[in-house]
Amino acid sequence: MSQHDTPLVVAPGAGEVIEVGGIEHLFKLTGQQTAGRLAVEEFRLAPGAMGARPHVHRAHDEYFYVTSGELMIHDGVGEQIVTTGSLVAALRGSAHGFRNAGDIVVHGLTMFTPAGYENYFRDVHAAVAGGAVLSEELLVAHRSRFDTVSL
């Protein structure tokens, strides 16, 4: 039986937790589990936290689905608030960024296709855990390894 003969079920709360800069990422599916097709994470963004400054992905698409709260999305030109139930599709080449401009935690799902960008979060977390300072320079350096350009 191959690894894809039966559905993969991930229980509530199960997955790989990565915390970086006020964001809790719970990766429910990674590229390793999906043969590189898709990665899915639940995220929690603390009040006032910057999720990501504007950037562009050249090698993958990123989708955000807000499950509770209000997420401030930067679309490369300006910002707009997206509310519970909203979906944002940041397709390859589209400028985007996000933050929590409110005073309550924002919960949502992010999907990456193809998978692989979850390794960016692992790498940043490992660098900070190893004593590096979480700075824009650190993020830019790690993003560039994943065909992502900071704006």
Side-chain angles (χ1 to χ4, degrees):
M1 187 183 298
S2 77
Q3 70 183 47
H4 300 292
D5 287 343
T6 59
L8 176 60
V9 176
V10 183
E16 178 184 359
V17 176
I18 301 172
E19 294 185 41
V20 177
I23 307 172
E24 179 183 286
H25 305 270
L26 174 60
F27 280 93
K28 304 295 284 182
L29 289 174
T30 64
Q32 185 176 21
Q33 295 164 295
T34 66
R37 293 179 184 97
L38 174 73
V40 177
E41 71 161 303
E42 291 180 9
F43 69 85
R44 293 173 29 102
L45 187 59
M50 173 62 69
R53 297 196 189 301
H55 59 282
V56 174
H57 302 294
R58 304 251 186 248
H60 71 274
D61 302 320
E62 186 173 17
Y63 304 89
F64 300 91
Y65 182 77
V66 180
T67 58
S68 71
E70 296 182 341
L71 191 63
M72 182 71 74
I73 295 289
H74 192 287
D75 62 10
V77 177
E79 291 185 312
Q80 63 179 303
I81 293 175
V82 295
T83 58
T84 300
S86 296
L87 175 70
V88 177
L91 303 177
R92 279 164 242 217
S94 65
H96 64 286
F98 63 98
R99 63 189 177 96
N100 182 350
D103 56 4
I104 63 169
V105 174
V106 175
H107 296 260
L109 296 174
T110 306
M111 293 150 278
F112 305 94
T113 181
Y117 202 63
E118 65 272 22
N119 293 315
Y120 162 78
F121 297 103
R122 288 177 180 138
D123 291 355
V124 170
H125 175 76
V128 171
V133 174
L134 183 62
S135 65
E136 190 60 24
E137 293 78 20
L138 176 78
L139 299 177
V140 167
H142 283 281
R143 281 185 186 144
S144 68
R145 295 182 25 240
F146 294 92
D147 210 3
T148 297
V149 178
S150 297
L151 302 178

